[in-house]
Amino acid sequence: MRIFANHAHVFPRAVREDGTVDALLRVMDDCGIEKAVAFATFPSFLGPGDEEPNRALGARIASEERLTGFGVIDFTRSDLEEQVEAIAALGFPGIKLHPAFQRVRVDGEPACRVYAAAERLGLFLSFHTGIHWHRIADYNLLLFDEVAYRFPALRFSLEHVGGYCFFHEAVAVMQNNRKSPPRIYAGLTSVFDRDANRFWYQSDERIRELLWQTGEDASIFGLDFPYNGAEKIRAAIDHICALEISDEAKEKLLGGNLRQIKAEYGHTNLSVSCAQDITGLAKAHGLRLIETTAEGWEFRIDGDPPAQEFLAELVQSGIFPERFEIREPSLHEIFIEKVGAAQ
């Protein structure tokens, strides 16, 4: 089974030696995990001289095809929208948010500024849910229904499915906003260990109820690395494989659903360099301009079709970019093929 897992926190070696990207890759190898989502380090773990965490993660995993990066937000700064835009510009398809740890109210003004920017840029949000030693009124599970209502195009996961205490509230939010494809996902992260993770524990009966209520397409498996090491992660994978659910459901939980999310959000950036001004054509094909640089333009892509149409029109117009770089090789191969044929 090709496992694609969410929810791996990574740290600089000086902060947590067992939480580095290299350590994550070793754990993935030990557990038979093909790919994973790596979260940038929350700024509160870092010192004044440390590199900005999103840029640091982007540089570290640029050549790691097995890892997909999610950015983080520094709520002590005022430039919240700009931080979201910078995350999108790095090619990250999502953001990790932890309202209780970051001391941010779920439906507060700073958080909503981040949601609005993420919705505009098509970024996926991964929220910690469940108790975490902060005023519960700030991160009550039902507040996520307000988030879904106010930002109807935003998609996100409720990690830990509300934890032991708020499972039913999490299911209520998911059901109240159920769509196809899903827009709210249950994050099955640290939910199978009754002893070590009792705050977020979910029984097998609850997992079956979750799938019964919300469907097989709306749950994703998470690692909670490095708080869970290889032994606990292997145990969680084995636990899912032993659940009394269909093999198809197991495949979806262990990678299929997250792979679908990645397919929809992974075509994040398109970099184009050429002598002509192509911004008008790009806008007509649904490409959103992120940044203009000395080398060219960075666009946000909403899936394959607009990029393919844009590429075809460039070639038909006699415009042959010096650079046309995208995240999915299939589109890059299309570019090479079309330009080669035109020349």
Side-chain angles (χ1 to χ4, degrees):
M1 186 179 296
R2 297 170 56 216
I3 299 176
F4 185 6
N6 190 36
H7 207 127
H9 301 268
V10 295
F11 299 87
R13 187 175 302 278
V15 175
R16 184 155 180 163
E17 190 168 355
D18 66 343
T20 64
V21 168
D22 288 336
L24 171 60
L25 292 169
R26 288 194 296 271
V27 167
M28 291 169 63
D29 289 339
D30 289 345
C31 298
I33 296 170
E34 180 183 41
K35 294 184 177 182
V37 174
F39 298 155
T41 309
F42 283 119
S44 58
F45 286 107
L46 304 174
D50 289 318
E51 186 179 357
E52 197 278 331
N54 297 319
R55 289 197 299 270
L57 178 64
R60 176 61 187 84
I61 69 171
S63 61
E64 298 288 354
E65 295 184 357
R66 299 173 66 190
L67 299 179
T68 297
F70 270 33
V72 294
I73 298 295
D74 186 346
F75 283 99
T76 68
R77 292 163 47 183
S78 61
D79 61 338
L80 298 176
E81 292 84 359
E82 288 80 3
Q83 290 184 60
V84 176
E85 291 168 359
I87 288 169
L90 285 168
F92 292 171
I95 302 173
K96 166 64 175 176
L97 296 169
H98 196 321
F101 177 74
Q102 295 181 283
R103 301 296 191 261
V104 175
R105 185 175 169 88
V106 167
D107 63 343
E109 187 266 343
C112 286
R113 288 171 56 191
V114 171
Y115 307 155
E119 182 182 47
R120 172 171 54 86
L121 294 169
L123 301 186
F124 188 92
L125 304 183
S126 188
F127 287 101
H128 172 94
T129 65
I131 63 168
H132 206 277
W133 309 283
H134 177 62
R135 183 184 182 188
I136 291 175
D138 284 347
Y139 60 99
N140 187 304
L141 253 295
L142 295 181
L143 293 176
F144 289 102
D145 184 67
E146 185 67 15
V147 174
Y149 176 78
R150 293 179 60 182
F151 303 94
L154 188 65
R155 297 174 74 186
F156 55 89
S157 68
L158 301 174
E159 295 299 296
H160 316 296
V161 207
Y164 180 82
C165 299
F166 299 114
F167 168 78
H168 290 101
E169 287 83 350
V171 173
V173 172
M174 293 179 67
Q175 279 288 56
N176 198 44
N177 298 278
R178 187 171 179 177
K179 293 183 181 298
S180 181
R183 59 174 303 216
I184 304 178
Y185 292 78
L188 302 182
T189 302
S190 290
V191 299
F192 300 110
D193 191 330
R194 183 184 179 91
D195 298 319
N197 294 316
R198 66 183 185 276
F199 302 115
W200 303 301
Y201 173 73
Q202 308 290 0
S203 67
D204 289 357
E205 182 179 2
R206 280 188 169 185
I207 299 300
R208 289 193 296 270
E209 289 179 353
L210 172 70
L211 299 182
W212 170 54
Q213 287 287 331
T214 65
E216 298 176 351
D217 296 331
S219 292
I220 54 178
F221 171 62
L223 305 177
D224 223 354
F225 170 90
Y227 306 105
N228 292 328
E231 183 178 354
K232 288 185 179 180
I233 291 170
R234 280 196 300 269
I237 294 170
D238 291 343
H239 197 111
I240 291 175
C241 291
L243 287 173
E244 294 179 359
I245 59 177
S246 69
D247 289 342
E248 183 181 6
K250 294 172 185 177
E251 190 280 329
K252 288 180 177 180
L253 300 188
L254 287 171
N257 291 338
L258 187 56
R259 198 168 282 110
Q260 180 62 33
I261 295 171
K262 177 63 165 56
E264 295 168 3
Y265 286 87
H267 304 165
T268 306
N269 282 17
L270 170 65
S271 302
V272 183
S273 298
C274 61
Q276 300 90 337
D277 184 350
I278 58 172
T279 54
L281 284 175
K283 184 177 180 180
H285 286 278
L287 278 64
R288 296 191 293 275
L289 181 64
I290 296 174
E291 185 180 13
T292 300
T293 68
E295 290 76 29
W297 300 271
E298 293 282 334
F299 298 103
R300 164 71 187 172
I301 305 172
D302 289 328
D304 287 14
Q308 291 172 336
E309 294 167 6
F310 178 53
L311 178 58
E313 182 154 343
L314 288 179
V315 174
Q316 289 174 359
S317 301
I319 298 174
F320 302 99
E322 299 170 5
R323 188 180 71 174
F324 192 96
E325 295 182 2
I326 54 180
R327 286 205 164 264
E328 291 291 332
S330 59
L331 284 184
H332 186 71
E333 291 167 1
I334 290 170
F335 165 70
I336 297 297
E337 178 184 1
K338 287 184 178 291
V339 171
Q343 291 177 328

